[in-house]
Amino acid sequence: MAKELKDKLGFVAIQVRSWIDILVLQADQHTKSMNEDYEYFFRWYSEDMYKIQVELFYYRELQREIKTDSLREVLSYLEGKIKEFEDELLVGGLRQHSTSSSTNLAHTLKLETKQHLRKRFQRLIDNIK
């Protein structure tokens, strides 16, 4: 039983590490583009870069939970985040009412990223249960 729990935790760790590695690579490519021609980057890639940063934040947070070596803690984190995302997406405001158009857009992009994360976290739970 302990080996099975360890294997499941290892699967989660590998999956999260893979997601982080892919996103870091994408962020590095966007950073290179930004440094070469900011105006072009801003028009074509700034939204992607923002979503990458939001996604990385949650994966790194999950990675810290994985380091506790407790599958129960990891499942609790994932289930808690799914509930938090669902509450925000279903009950929270879909629009930000700021005078800053960038702030309003960032709010929308964060919600889109949380939709994506919610699906990923649910699939992760389904794979380890």
Side-chain angles (χ1 to χ4, degrees):
M1 184 70 154
K3 182 179 176 353
E4 182 182 347
L5 293 177
K6 195 102 172 137
D7 289 346
K8 288 180 179 183
L9 194 59
F11 168 78
V12 173
I14 289 167
Q15 186 64 66
V16 172
R17 181 78 247 161
S18 172
W19 291 336
I20 289 172
D21 289 346
I22 290 166
L23 290 171
V24 167
L25 180 62
Q26 291 172 350
D28 288 347
Q29 291 169 341
H30 287 320
T31 299
K32 184 176 185 247
S33 171
M34 180 179 66
N35 290 335
E36 289 173 359
D37 185 348
Y38 181 77
E39 191 264 337
Y40 180 83
F41 161 82
F42 183 79
R43 285 185 289 123
W44 292 101
Y45 299 112
S46 59
E47 291 181 15
D48 291 341
M49 182 65 132
Y50 183 76
K51 286 180 167 183
I52 286 169
Q53 296 306 315
V54 172
E55 206 169 342
L56 279 171
F57 171 82
Y58 287 104
Y59 292 150
R60 287 176 174 144
E61 199 174 70
L62 174 55
Q63 205 171 39
R64 283 191 292 280
E65 289 298 321
I66 293 167
K67 289 180 182 174
T68 66
D69 248 3
S70 169
L71 187 60
R72 187 178 338 168
E73 292 293 321
V74 171
L75 282 170
S76 177
Y77 170 84
L78 290 168
E79 289 166 348
K81 284 300 169 189
I82 288 171
K83 177 155 181 22
E84 178 186 312
F85 295 158
E86 287 173 347
D87 287 348
E88 188 173 353
L89 293 165
L90 294 173
V91 182
L94 297 178
R95 295 182 128 183
Q96 188 81 11
H97 300 288
S98 172
T99 56
S100 167
S101 59
S102 295
T103 298
N104 294 332
L105 178 58
H107 177 74
T108 301
L109 296 173
K110 190 176 276 191
L111 290 176
E112 288 175 3
T113 304
K114 288 179 179 182
Q115 286 177 326
H116 171 72
L117 286 165
R118 189 228 161 268
K119 287 178 196 170
R120 272 212 164 155
F121 285 0
Q122 186 59 58
R123 272 189 254 130
L124 199 52
I125 288 173
D126 294 344
N127 284 327
I128 58 178
K129 278 194 170 180

